[in-house]
Amino acid sequence: MLLNIMSRRASLSTFARARCYGTSLPIPKTPAGSEEIFHSQMMLPKYSLSNKKWFFLFLACNAGAYGGHYFYLRFLMPANPPNPPRDPNQVRPEKHMHAVDED
């Protein structure tokens, strides 16, 4: 039983050693007196928006994107000209131009 436990411990330690990459550089030590831990509420994010500002910016971006899209479609994108009216006196072809030629 003791031998079984020791062999398991040895296999786990070799697995752990294979997973640890380590470094050849010296690991720095923490300065004396710096044992106090700061939680995240003490450090404010550099850029933080309230909900009101974030949703205003989000809706303004969406309105600009949709507005620009429809502005382009309405004023900048060229429209196809209408089809010319048909001539009622034109002779119709006897066979459709895309019909299969049967021999």
Side-chain angles (χ1 to χ4, degrees):
M1 174 123 172
L2 183 62
L3 192 58
N4 190 10
I5 292 172
M6 295 201 46
S7 67
R8 269 193 200 161
R9 196 178 285 174
S11 67
L12 288 176
S13 65
T14 56
F15 176 73
R17 272 187 261 146
R19 294 287 297 172
C20 296
Y21 299 111
T23 178
S24 61
L25 300 173
I27 299 173
K29 305 286 185 213
T30 57
S34 65
E35 290 85 22
E36 186 152 345
I37 298 172
F38 293 98
H39 51 80
S40 63
Q41 291 179 350
M42 296 178 85
M43 300 171 66
L44 294 175
K46 192 170 186 179
Y47 301 106
S48 178
L49 296 175
S50 66
N51 262 356
K52 188 176 178 181
K53 289 178 185 176
W54 191 90
F55 276 105
F56 174 76
L57 184 63
F58 177 72
L59 292 174
C61 290
N62 272 319
Y66 278 100
H69 169 72
Y70 286 112
F71 175 80
Y72 175 78
L73 289 180
R74 176 79 172 97
F75 298 108
L76 301 178
M77 186 173 168
N80 288 335
N83 289 332
R86 290 184 178 229
D87 182 14
N89 299 326
Q90 184 180 10
V91 180
R92 294 189 177 202
E94 294 142 10
K95 186 176 158 189
H96 192 270
M97 66 175 83
H98 297 127
V100 177
D101 294 330
E102 294 181 8
D103 294 328

